[in-house]
């Protein structure tokens, strides 16, 4: 066998630079075309065999810079520092050279050869930009290759240049010049840094020196590994002071300005602009979509349409799936002998898988529509429109979409929070999303409202929805103050030009989301369903239905927790019903059905259950209302909890669980006690 | 740290729709200031205020041939000089730049 060479490539670039199209063109696999920051949070990997060399390509998160402030940026630079790829390809949006080259120069400082892919050259040309790539290349000392990712143009040239660059030892011949004043200070720091040879072998000294001047906390932390860290600190403090005195501004800003100045100089010499007069297409579209008066109604209409399409169209496949699982259950009941096994398979396993899969049509439709909005560039506009209102409550413009979707189903809503780039914003949005009453809570509200407030059912249900929204906003303010404190995160957000999405890109994204949901949520939900099945089944009593449930673990648990739920007006039966609400909110209705011994469960509209509830002296209308509030505020269903764990991690999941339980109890307590005093 | 106090302290938030500007200095420290500088709000760069959202916040600015949205609170930290109102969008060129000594 012949020796096969492997070249490891890190693929970097700005968000919206077409990096993902280059990745697809390089690796042949199809991926999502990113349109807002945070699409490629995980690093993706692909490979290609070309000229008997295996190229392994790592897709890094799209970033504008390489600071320590954003997790994406830290991931990108840590990959380059720690994993030391052979070369970095920086995908550059040719229509926006300055901002893209700003990143390119920072990549070069990481001590790994860099090649620039001047992407979307066709668009640059049609905008009247005449880029002299050879000139730019020699000015910056970085090889540049013209590419058009979606048309596969320039991809082999790119690989040829990689081979050529690695063949020669001197690929990147120049470094940014930050001007005399800054360069003096950089070399002072570098001189001390190189004294620790081990440290200098891992971290490029010049890069560290620049990062020190940028007051990068991540790099400052890594300095503790340096053998002469105290001296480094002393020297760098002096340098920073010197710079700030000379330039009259913060040193981290000075570094950015000098870097940009270098870029501007290079661009001025290598690019001719024959700017076409008149605004671009994007600006024409924005004039309508971001109109001060029309912008908001259009946005609300878009949300409404997404909502309608998702839940109206999703209903059909959901019903087919339900019918299918009903058929499976019946089949199982016929062929499996009566007993625990039948109960486990029919009620536990089939029921559990059924509830997992019933969300899949919703997720597919919803993420198809959301990807469409993302890829066109509208999501950023939506954030622009809603930011003012949400920011008052400590939220972000991009929190709006997940919150609205929460009215349909928390699972896709929580998954949609990934559009939020900032970690804290994302956590906060995920934490408050369950307060938006999801579709499964509605049957519970309807049952209780119809039983206890027949005259005013509509208004009562409405009030629960409103309370949910108020609690979401209240929680947001509270959590911002208490647990998600810290410096305000910038809103500074690019409004990318509108682009036509590709069907392939969208389908890939939908596939990825759906698969991710099925894999991560599926196992958890199945396990949880079996658990709920077990505690409502064991120990097996002689009778089924009411007797079975009363003597089951769940029934006993209900009685154990009765003292805790007495102050909010619940007896053990209501407690058990609420407990089963953990698996899914609509289950509460069927549990109540069993507990009140009404024949056919699952009949939200069933008059007998309404009558039974009304006739129970322990359940006053006040208790009924408090139960609605409890269902609203208590932790969401297992599917939503599983989605939460996947998006924000187990720690925050636990936090959310206890926060919701506590808030539910406190609110219910206040309402119940106040109601009693008021004589209800 | 500021040596020379600027007499007329105009920032992006003071500008009206369609008004052009040249960046003089970013006054916010920390993450927000660095982010603004990273996105191109640096000395000498020219831009134009394109529009603001409902209730005047955030603001859309066109800078270095791309559009960016910033909150008013952030815009207040970017000191600029006004270049008046021009015709149409996107005609702005850089004249001076900090380094190059």
């Amino acid at each position: 066998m012949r020796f096969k060479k492997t070249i490891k490539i890190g693929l970097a670039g700005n968000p919206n630079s077409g990096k993902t199209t280059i990745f697809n063109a390089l690796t042949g696999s199809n991926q999502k075309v990113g349109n807002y920051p945070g699409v490629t949070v995980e690093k993706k990997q692909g490979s290609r065999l070309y000229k008997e060399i295996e190229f392994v390509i790592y897709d890094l998160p799209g970033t504008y810079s390489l600071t320590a402030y954003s997790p994406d940026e830290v991931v990108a630079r840590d990959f380059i520092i720690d994993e030391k790829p052979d070369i970095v390809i920086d995908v550059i949006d040719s229509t926006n050279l300055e901002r893209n080259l700003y990143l390119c120069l920072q990549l070069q400082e990481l001590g790994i050869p860099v090649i620039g892919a001047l992407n979307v050259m066709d668009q640059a040309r049609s905008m009247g930009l005449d880029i002299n790539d050879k000139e730019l290349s020699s000015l910056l000392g970085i090889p540049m290759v013209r590419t058009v990712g979606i048309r596969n143009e320039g991809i082999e040239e790119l690989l040829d240049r990689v081979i050529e660059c690695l063949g020669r030892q001197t690929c990147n011949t120049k470094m940014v010049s930050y001007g005399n004043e800054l360069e003096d200070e950089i070399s002072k720091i570098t001189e001390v840094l190189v004294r620790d040879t081990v440290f200098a072998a891992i971290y490029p000294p010049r890069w560290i020196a620049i990062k020190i001047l940028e007051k990068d906390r991540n790099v400052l932390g890594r300095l503790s590994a340096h053998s002469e860290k105290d001296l480094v600190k002393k020297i760098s403090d002096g340098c920073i002071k010197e710079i700030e005195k000379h330039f009259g501004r913060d040193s981290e800003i000075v570094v950015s300005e000098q870097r940009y100045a270098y870029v501007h100089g290079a661009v001025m010499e290598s690019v001719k602009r024959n700017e076409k007069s008149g605004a671009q297409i994007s600006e024409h579209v924005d004039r309508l979509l971001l109109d001060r008066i029309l912008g908001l109604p259009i946005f609300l209409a878009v949300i409404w349409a997404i909502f309608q399409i998702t839940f109206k169209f999703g209903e059909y496949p959901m019903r087919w799936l339900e019918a299918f699982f009903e058929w499976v259950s019946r089949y199982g009941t016929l062929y499996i002998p009566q007993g625990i096994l039948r109960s486990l398979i029919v009620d536990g396993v089939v029921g559990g898988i059924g509830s997992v899969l019933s969300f899949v049509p919703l997720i597919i439709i919803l993420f198809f529509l959301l990807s469409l909005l993302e890829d066109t560039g509208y999501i950023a506009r939506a954030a622009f429109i809603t930011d003012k209102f949400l920011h008052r409550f400590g939220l972000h413009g991009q929190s709006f979409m997940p919150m609205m979707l929460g009215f349909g189903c928390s699972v896709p809503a929580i998954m949609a929070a990934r559009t939020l780039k900032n970690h804290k914003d994302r956590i906060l949005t995920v934490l408050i999303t369950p307060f938006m009453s999801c579709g499964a809570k509605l049957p519970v509200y309807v049952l209780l409202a119809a039983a206890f407030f027949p005259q005013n059912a509509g208004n009562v249900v409405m009030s629960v929805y409103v309370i949910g929204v108020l609690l979401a906003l209240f929680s947001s303010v509270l959590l911002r103050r208490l647990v998600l404190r810290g410096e305000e995160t910038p809103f500074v957000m690019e409004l990318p030009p509108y682009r036509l999405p590709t069907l392939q890109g969208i389908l890939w994204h939908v596939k990825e989301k759906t698969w991710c949901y099925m894999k991560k949520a599926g196992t958890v939900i199945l396990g949880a369903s079996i658990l709920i099945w077990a505690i409502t089944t064991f120990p097996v009593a002689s009778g089924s239905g009411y007797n079975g449930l009363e003597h089951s673990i769940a029934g006993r648990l209900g009685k154990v927790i009765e003292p805790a739920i007495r102050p909010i007006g619940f007896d053990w039966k209501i407690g058990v019903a609420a407990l089963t609400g953990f698996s899914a909110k609509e289950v509460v209705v069927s549990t109540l059905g069993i507990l009140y011994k009404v024949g056919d469960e699952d009949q939200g509209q069933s008059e007998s259950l309404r009558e039974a509830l009304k006739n129970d002296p322990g359940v006053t209308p006040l208790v009924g209302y408090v139960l609605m509030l409890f269902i609203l505020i208590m932790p969401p269903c297992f599917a939503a909890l599983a989605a939460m764990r996947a998006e924000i991690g187990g720690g925050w999941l636990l936090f959310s669980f206890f926060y919701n339980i506590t808030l539910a109890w406190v609110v219910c307590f206040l309402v119940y006690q106040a109601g009693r005093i008021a004589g209800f | 740290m500021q040596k020379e106090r600027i007499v007329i302290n105009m920032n992006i938030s003071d500008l009206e729709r369609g008004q052009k500007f040249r960046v003089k200095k970013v006054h916010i420290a920390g993450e927000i200031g660095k982010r603004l500088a990273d996105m191109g709000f640096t000395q000498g760069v020219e831009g134009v205020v394109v529009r603001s959202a409902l209730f005047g916040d955030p603001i859309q600015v066109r800078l270095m041939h791309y559009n960016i949205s910033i909150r008013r609170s952030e815009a207040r930290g970017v000191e600029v000089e006004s270049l008046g109102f021009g015709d149409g969008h996107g005609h702005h060129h850089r004249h001076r730049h900090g380094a190059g000594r």
Side-chain angles (χ1 to χ4, degrees), chain A residues 369-382:
Chain A
L369 298 172
L370 279 185
S371 308
L372 204 67
L373 288 190
E374 268 167 45
D375 286 3
T376 51
Y378 188 70
I379 292 272
R381 270 76 183 180

Side-chain angles (χ1 to χ4, degrees), chain A residues 329-347:
Chain A
S329 298
R330 211 174 300 149
Y331 207 71
T333 317
L334 270 177
Y335 285 88
I336 307 169
Q338 186 163 10
I340 287 297
L341 185 67
R342 179 161 98 185
S343 173
L344 170 67
I345 290 174
V346 172
D347 300 331

Side-chain angles (χ1 to χ4, degrees), chain A residues 64-65 67 69-70 73 95-96 98-99 102 180-181 214 244-245 247-250 252-253 256-258 260-261 264-265 268 273 275 280 283 286-287 290 292 296 384 387-388 391 395-396 487-495, chain B residues 1-3 24-26 28-43 45 50-60 62 64-71 73-74 89-91 93-94 97-99 101:
Chain A
Y64 296 107
S65 183
T67 65
Y69 293 118
S70 141
E73 297 181 14
T95 66
N96 194 351
E98 281 99 333
R99 208 196 57 214
Y102 180 82
N180 293 339
E181 293 84 4
E214 289 187 282
E244 299 193 335
K245 207 176 97 192
F247 288 90
R249 53 192 78 202
D250 292 299
E252 69 262 38
I253 304 282
S256 290
E257 295 203 325
Q258 299 297 90
Y260 259 121
H264 292 323
M268 244 177 11
R273 275 179 210 282
E275 240 159 321
Q280 298 163 321
E283 177 48 28
D286 273 342
R287 273 181 203 166
L290 294 184
R292 265 193 157 191
L296 188 64
F384 181 75
D387 184 67
K388 172 77 178 170
H391 186 221
L395 289 161
H396 188 277
E487 207 182 317
E488 187 165 310
T489 56
F491 179 68
V492 183
M493 176 187 73
E494 184 183 3
L495 295 168
Chain B
M1 215 176 41
Q2 293 162 241
K3 266 282 156 82
K24 289 174 92 172
K25 184 172 173 179
V26 172
I28 315 175
E31 180 177 1
I32 294 176
K34 185 64 178 172
R35 177 65 58 206
L36 287 167
D38 277 347
M39 296 302 275
F41 288 92
T42 53
Q43 191 188 16
V45 169
V50 179
R51 62 169 60 79
S52 60
L54 198 65
F55 307 118
D57 199 10
I59 306 168
Q60 180 186 343
R62 193 160 168 79
M64 299 192 311
H65 316 99
Y66 81 98
N67 287 288
I68 186 163
S69 151
I70 55 175
R71 284 183 183 142
S73 57
E74 293 153 352
H89 298 270
H91 294 270
H93 305 276
R94 241 157 283 95
H97 30 103
R101 283 157 270 250

Side-chain angles (χ1 to χ4, degrees), chain A residues 138-153:
Chain A
S138 72
L139 280 169
L140 299 176
I142 297 171
M144 296 281 172
V145 181
R146 295 162 169 255
T147 58
V148 181
I150 42 169
R151 289 211 302 264
N152 247 325
E153 284 175 31

Side-chain angles (χ1 to χ4, degrees), chain A residues 623-645:
Chain A
V623 173
Y625 191 69
V626 171
L627 179 59
M628 288 163 83
L629 290 181
F630 193 83
I631 297 298
L632 162 72
I633 314 168
M634 74 180 276
C637 67
F638 283 127
L641 292 174
M644 242 184 214
R645 196 185 65 144

Side-chain angles (χ1 to χ4, degrees), chain A residues 232-424:
Chain A
V232 173
K233 171 118 180 50
K234 206 182 123 209
I235 299 270
S236 13
D237 286 351
C239 291
I240 289 173
K241 208 168 277 171
E242 196 63 35
I243 290 166
E244 299 193 335
K245 207 176 97 192
H246 183 272
F247 288 90
R249 53 192 78 202
D250 292 299
S251 71
E252 69 262 38
I253 304 282
V254 175
V255 174
S256 290
E257 295 203 325
Q258 299 297 90
R259 199 182 281 139
Y260 259 121
Y262 187 83
V263 170
H264 292 323
V267 169
M268 244 177 11
E269 285 188 43
S270 57
V271 180
K272 279 202 213 89
R273 275 179 210 282
N274 316 301
E275 240 159 321
K276 310 249 163 94
S277 55
Q280 298 163 321
I281 302 164
S282 277
E283 177 48 28
H284 285 296
V285 180
D286 273 342
R287 273 181 203 166
L288 176 67
L289 295 184
L290 294 184
D291 185 89
R292 265 193 157 191
I293 295 147
L294 291 176
L296 188 64
I298 292 173
F299 168 69
L300 292 174
V302 168
I303 295 281
W304 182 82
I306 289 181
F307 213 79
Q308 290 295 315
I309 294 170
T310 306
F311 295 103
K312 281 267 148 62
F313 282 82
E315 209 176 286
Y316 298 102
M318 260 177 114
R319 240 185 262 158
W320 300 334
L321 279 170
E322 273 164 29
F324 171 75
F325 281 102
E326 225 164 80
W327 176 80
V328 173
S329 298
R330 211 174 300 149
Y331 207 71
T333 317
L334 270 177
Y335 285 88
I336 307 169
Q338 186 163 10
I340 287 297
L341 185 67
R342 179 161 98 185
S343 173
L344 170 67
I345 290 174
V346 172
D347 300 331
V349 178
V350 175
I353 294 177
S355 75
V356 173
L357 289 185
S358 66
F359 289 113
V360 169
L362 286 188
I363 289 175
I364 291 176
I365 299 171
L366 184 64
F367 281 100
F368 183 85
L369 298 172
L370 279 185
S371 308
L372 204 67
L373 288 190
E374 268 167 45
D375 286 3
T376 51
Y378 188 70
I379 292 272
R381 270 76 183 180
F384 181 75
I385 293 168
T386 54
D387 184 67
K388 172 77 178 170
F389 174 75
L390 291 172
H391 186 221
R392 284 203 186 152
F393 299 97
L395 289 161
H396 188 277
Q398 284 176 334
S399 309
F400 196 86
M401 200 68 81
M403 284 172 73
M404 284 306 292
L405 296 172
F407 284 125
C409 174
S410 299
V411 175
I414 288 165
M415 289 164 78
R418 210 178 279 186
T419 49
L420 286 142
K421 189 183 175 192
N422 181 276
H423 196 51
K424 279 183 186 168

